[in-house]
Amino acid sequence: MIARFWHGRVPQEKADRYAEYMRAVVLPDYRGVPGNRGAWCMRRDDGEIVHFELLSFWDDVEAVKLFAGEDHEIARYYDFDDLYLIEKEAHVLHYEVCAGTGV
C-alpha cells in the first residue's frame, strides 16, 4: 500500500472556503479512483496562514498513477486552487506503508 502526502498553504481569510472545496470536490474525487483506500484532509491554523495536508492511501503505484498521471510524483491541482493557494508546490511525497492498524 502507498501513502501519498500533499501540502498546501492558504491565507487565513480563505481557509474555510478552501476546506469546503476539499470536502465537496477533492475528497470525493480521490475516493472515486479505483485502488484508492481512503483520503483525509487535515488543517492546521498558523497565524495568517493555514496549512492543509491531504493524506491518501492507494493499493499500489499503478493506482496512484490512475489519479495523478504517469509522473505521479508531481502534485495534481484543481481549477480553484489558483484562487486559494499561496503557492503550488510541485511535488508530493509517497511512502510505502509497512505497518499499521485499521480505524
Side-chain angles (χ1 to χ4, degrees):
M1 182 166 54
I2 303 296
R4 178 181 171 97
F5 287 92
W6 170 87
H7 171 259
R9 295 178 304 132
V10 175
Q12 179 69 42
E13 65 272 9
K14 296 181 176 182
D16 288 342
R17 183 70 180 131
Y18 194 70
E20 290 176 26
Y21 275 115
M22 296 299 268
R23 281 189 294 274
V25 176
V26 176
L27 293 177
D29 186 39
Y30 273 56
R31 292 176 180 151
V33 176
N36 178 267
R37 293 191 181 192
W40 291 263
C41 179
M42 297 158 285
R43 171 184 175 159
R44 180 173 56 87
D45 289 51
D46 185 20
E48 295 299 313
I49 303 296
V50 177
H51 297 266
F52 284 88
E53 297 274 352
L54 190 63
L55 170 61
S56 56
F57 293 95
W58 304 86
D59 287 341
D60 51 31
V61 171
E62 292 308 312
V64 175
K65 288 179 179 180
L66 288 175
F67 169 74
E70 194 60 34
D71 194 355
H72 67 286
E73 300 288 335
I74 301 296
R76 178 179 165 202
Y77 289 98
Y78 294 82
D79 292 342
F80 57 82
D81 283 323
D82 287 332
L83 301 173
Y84 295 92
L85 293 171
I86 293 170
E87 69 176 314
K88 291 179 6 184
E89 297 176 11
H91 296 90
V92 297
L93 298 174
H94 292 97
Y95 293 86
E96 182 178 336
V97 178
C98 57
T101 61
V103 176

